[in-house]
Amino acid sequence: MVTDNVKKLLILMVTLLVAHTAQAQLQIEIISGNASALPIAIVPFQWEDASSPPATSVEEIISGDLYRSGLFDPMDTADMLERPVDEESIRFGTWRLLKVDYIVVGSIRTPADGRGHELVYQLFDVHTQERLLSQITTVGPGDLRYGAHRVSDAIYKTLTGVPGAFATRIAYITATGLGEDLRYELVVSDADGFGPQSVVGSPEPLLSPAWSPDGKKLAYVSFEKGNSAIYMQDVATGSRELISGGKGINGAPSFSPDGRNMAMTLSRTGNPEIYVRNIATGRLTQLTQHWAIDTEPVWAPDGKYIYFTSDRGGKPQIYRIPPTGGKAERVTLEGEYNARASIAPDGRRIAVAHGRGNEYRIAIWDIDSERFTVLTPGVLDESPSFAPNGSMVLYATREGTRGVLSAVSADGSVRQRLILSEGDVREPAWSPVIR
Amino acid sequence: MKTVWRLTLAMIIALALTACQTTPEAAPEPAPEPEPAPVVETAPAADPHDFTDSRNFDNPESLLSKRVIYFDFDKSTVRPEFRAIVSAHAAYAAAHSSARVTLEGHADERGTREYTLGLGERRGNAVMGLMSAQGARGSQLVVVSYGEERPTCRVSDEDCWSQNRRVEIVYTAR
């Protein structure tokens, strides 16, 4: 018994120390596109940097980002008749003939202090020849991909009016192997699936990752001690602390918008209830007291309510309660099964797992119009997570018996699939915008 | 070494005694040979209905050998056909104060993961309630819910789902 625990602890420690790079890469594929996507040309950036150019070019990353949003139709570089690098070298007539509405030109150089990279770029309206954006984005060494995502964010914001969410990350759980070899990992990657890093691995179930509002920490549930327990871990350093590990369920962590409190589900009374814990002091406040299953608390962006799932009306539905306690009110008024809310940054839309019979799909409940919009066609879709700009919803779905991640635009028009080459992928959580 | 010698000696004596016993019986030729008594004496077989007998954990004829309770979808009521199994384990726990039981609650894949964690716990609590009512002490029983994280079967159909909606009665001490 003792040696078993020591062995488990050792395995865990090794896993934590060797936070290895997951070998499997995510592949992304658009399932259904948008006919009204804006044609845009991201001309290859001129490489003036002292270092050698990377394998994946900056223009490929930017084109990929914009394409995945479903709102843009980036031109293939092979179809570009010319490769201008600045305003003077653009012949707008040529690009009009190529039916391009917008063009981005730029270069990459080494900053004056010799560290990292500068992405110098401009965005033009091909028809008016107006310069819409002219910027220099500076990033540290090794952060060129991040720099390219920030350029995508700026282009997206200029042309859609909504901040981009490309320079963000996603966390998800993978399960690989079978039986005794089953292994769970909490993985963090870029929002485009690139650069997956295992944050924690365990032979026992891991679930419910949740980002801190500064994007530096993840809270999650681990069964490594034989029962569910909530941990909070620093993504960069790997250091972690046990937040809650008492008797019964310790589940569904969610950070408050100010990062000071964590909502969670505890069944210390023998029944799952919603609690709020002050992270610094450990002070615990019980919010619900009901014989029903109350779980999956999530904070509204303005911090005024905590939304949660409860079957107090017979079947699971979304309710909300002030974080200081009070009366719970029902939010979703339609459908037989609505659970695991993710709140849009505007606070007016709620993505849920929406069940009917044996089918579970992702749907958005609009608080003002009190109506559902079903976004996905899946059979077992769950764990919706809004992008920090509210433009897309990431969720878990099934392909045969395997779990994969998909993303759908908030209007349901564009869907894409992110496939990890092996194992079961589930429970995605989109990070906040990391500044 | 000495004990080995003693054992061997004892065996030789025992063999000699049995030989002495059988010799006079073999003399009257026509008499039918009586059934030979079993040489190795075994303990009487466990009564499968004695739920305080730990040998019944491995006796397929005893309810103590059955340690999985199955449930209906989204329900945590112990169905009538499983009540006798729960009662058997309650009787064992009541008779053995050192026994410790973990009731592992599980759910099928339908529904969200955290909600099914609640559902698994509810099922575990239902079994715990029945066992407590029949004499098991609260300190002997622990409920751990795994929700849908530990399926025994991974196909999306009712046959598989019904196998996953379960409480496993796990003895951590007998």
Side-chain angles (χ1 to χ4, degrees):
Chain A
M1 192 64 188
V2 174
T3 41
D4 249 359
N5 280 340
V6 170
K7 216 189 278 176
K8 272 186 194 166
L9 194 70
L10 276 173
I11 291 168
L12 188 77
M13 279 166 66
V14 170
T15 315
L16 289 174
L17 287 171
V18 192
H20 66 281
T21 305
Q23 288 154 356
Q25 288 270 311
L26 285 163
Q27 301 161 4
I28 294 160
E29 166 190 356
I30 299 264
I31 298 162
S32 62
N34 186 345
S36 62
L38 293 174
I40 188 167
I42 315 294
V43 180
F45 280 41
Q46 183 157 284
W47 189 263
E48 298 166 6
D49 201 275
S51 63
S52 54
T56 308
S57 64
V58 162
E59 63 273 9
E60 275 178 76
I61 298 165
I62 300 169
S63 289
D65 284 345
L66 296 176
Y67 174 61
R68 281 197 331 278
S69 77
L71 301 179
F72 294 90
D73 179 17
M75 187 183 205
D76 200 324
T77 47
D79 297 334
M80 294 179 187
L81 302 176
E82 295 166 2
R83 306 267 173 112
V85 293
D86 53 22
E87 185 167 9
E88 289 71 45
S89 53
I90 303 173
R91 290 193 290 181
F92 287 101
T94 310
W95 298 96
R96 274 199 292 273
L97 283 175
L98 291 168
K99 302 214 183 309
V100 170
D101 287 352
Y102 300 97
I103 184 170
V104 174
V105 295
S107 58
I108 295 150
R109 62 191 191 202
T110 308
D113 66 4
R115 288 190 78 251
H117 312 279
E118 273 179 2
L119 295 89
V120 187
Y121 66 98
Q122 295 174 313
L123 164 67
F124 296 91
D125 182 322
V126 169
H127 301 281
T128 64
Q129 303 191 13
E130 188 189 347
R131 189 172 65 200
L132 302 175
L133 189 62
S134 177
Q135 265 185 355
I136 300 175
T137 296
T138 309
V139 293
D143 283 342
L144 197 58
R145 283 195 74 94
Y146 171 67
H149 291 312
R150 285 188 46 197
V151 173
S152 305
D153 281 343
I155 295 168
Y156 186 90
K157 182 167 194 237
T158 305
L159 297 179
T160 67
V162 178
F166 302 113
T168 54
R169 299 208 273 177
I170 56 174
Y172 51 88
I173 305 288
T174 65
T176 49
L178 283 172
E180 290 290 295
D181 296 328
L182 189 61
R183 190 169 172 76
Y184 298 83
E185 280 183 74
L186 168 57
V187 180
V188 169
S189 78
D190 290 353
D192 60 359
F194 189 88
Q197 293 276 326
S198 174
V199 172
V200 63
S202 171
E204 303 297 330
L206 293 170
L207 66 160
S208 303
W211 291 93
S212 64
D214 62 4
K216 290 185 175 144
K217 293 191 172 85
L218 278 169
Y220 57 90
V221 175
S222 170
F223 276 79
E224 66 197 55
K225 285 187 177 158
N227 187 23
S228 54
I230 299 171
Y231 291 88
M232 182 173 74
Q233 183 163 332
D234 187 292
V235 176
T237 68
S239 75
R240 66 171 194 167
E241 59 181 291
L242 177 68
I243 297 289
S244 185
K247 174 176 155 288
I249 296 169
N250 298 271
S254 168
F255 285 93
S256 65
D258 64 8
R260 291 202 191 116
N261 295 293
M262 198 186 284
M264 60 187 69
T265 302
L266 304 177
S267 67
R268 51 191 352 222
T269 59
N271 191 58
E273 307 287 359
I274 309 295
Y275 292 78
V276 170
R277 191 185 182 95
N278 182 296
I279 294 171
T281 68
R283 201 171 70 94
L284 204 56
T285 310
Q286 184 174 349
L287 293 194
T288 63
Q289 193 154 26
H290 200 283
W291 54 265
I293 294 174
D294 292 337
T295 188
E296 299 168 337
V298 59
W299 240 282
D302 63 7
K304 285 186 182 151
Y305 287 104
I306 287 171
Y307 289 79
F308 64 99
T309 306
S310 176
D311 69 342
R312 57 186 65 197
K315 287 274 186 181
Q317 293 290 346
I318 305 299
Y319 290 75
R320 68 181 184 187
I321 192 167
T324 48
K327 200 174 165 294
E329 53 177 323
R330 184 165 162 177
V331 176
T332 48
L333 305 172
E334 275 175 25
E336 36 179 271
Y337 190 115
N338 294 302
R340 210 193 207 257
S342 171
I343 318 292
D346 61 15
R348 310 311 302 165
R349 291 168 297 153
I350 302 169
V352 296
H354 182 65
R356 211 176 74 182
N358 284 336
E359 293 195 336
Y360 294 82
R361 296 172 172 187
I362 305 302
I364 289 182
W365 175 257
D366 187 302
I367 291 179
D368 301 318
S369 70
E370 298 191 337
R371 289 187 59 166
F372 264 121
T373 309
V374 177
L375 299 187
T376 66
V379 177
L380 204 67
D381 296 343
E382 58 177 338
S383 302
S385 175
F386 260 107
N389 66 357
S391 65
M392 300 197 99
V393 177
L394 191 61
Y395 64 99
T397 184
R398 286 290 172 94
E399 271 190 355
T401 58
R402 196 166 81 129
V404 298
L405 302 188
S406 279
V408 61
S409 59
D411 64 357
S413 69
V414 182
R415 267 188 307 125
Q416 57 185 279
R417 185 163 34 188
L418 297 81
I419 305 166
L420 195 80
S421 53
E422 59 167 317
D424 215 28
V425 192
R426 51 172 86 143
E427 294 204 284
W430 209 316
S431 85
V433 173
I434 301 156
R435 295 181 201 287
Chain B
M1 264 326 245
K2 267 184 187 165
T3 35
V4 174
W5 269 113
R6 270 187 210 158
L7 271 172
T8 326
L9 204 66
M11 278 166 73
I12 290 165
I13 293 166
L15 279 169
L17 282 173
T18 35
C20 291
Q21 276 172 359
T22 47
T23 322
E25 285 211 3
E29 202 59 47
E33 195 134 322
E35 285 282 288
V39 180
V40 185
E41 190 89 342
T42 55
D47 170 8
H49 301 291
D50 179 2
F51 302 131
T52 63
D53 189 335
S54 66
R55 286 174 299 166
N56 277 326
F57 282 117
D58 303 314
N59 179 1
E61 284 174 21
S62 175
L63 290 176
L64 271 191
S65 70
K66 298 184 170 43
R67 294 191 281 274
V68 186
I69 311 296
Y70 296 97
F71 291 82
D72 289 334
F73 175 58
D74 211 15
K75 293 283 187 296
S76 54
T77 316
V78 178
R79 301 205 302 252
E81 66 263 41
F82 292 110
R83 288 182 182 250
I85 298 175
V86 175
S87 301
H89 290 283
Y92 183 87
H96 298 86
S97 58
S98 61
R100 294 289 179 275
V101 178
T102 300
L103 301 166
E104 293 184 358
H106 300 269
D108 72 35
E109 62 182 2
R110 289 170 295 169
T112 57
R113 289 174 185 277
E114 290 280 358
Y115 180 76
T116 55
L117 217 48
L119 200 54
E121 184 177 69
R122 216 180 239 179
R123 289 174 178 153
N125 285 343
V127 174
M128 182 165 76
L130 276 183
M131 287 182 73
S132 301
Q134 295 173 71
R137 283 161 286 265
S139 58
Q140 293 181 285
L141 309 173
V142 174
V143 172
V144 172
S145 176
Y146 286 97
E148 61 183 279
E149 306 304 322
R150 288 234 173 117
T152 55
C153 162
R154 292 184 180 275
V155 183
S156 292
D157 62 23
E158 179 48 40
D159 183 46
C160 174
W161 289 330
S162 65
Q163 294 175 49
N164 289 333
R165 294 188 301 263
R166 67 200 195 277
V167 166
E168 293 191 12
I169 300 170
V170 178
Y171 282 82
T172 51
R174 284 181 178 176

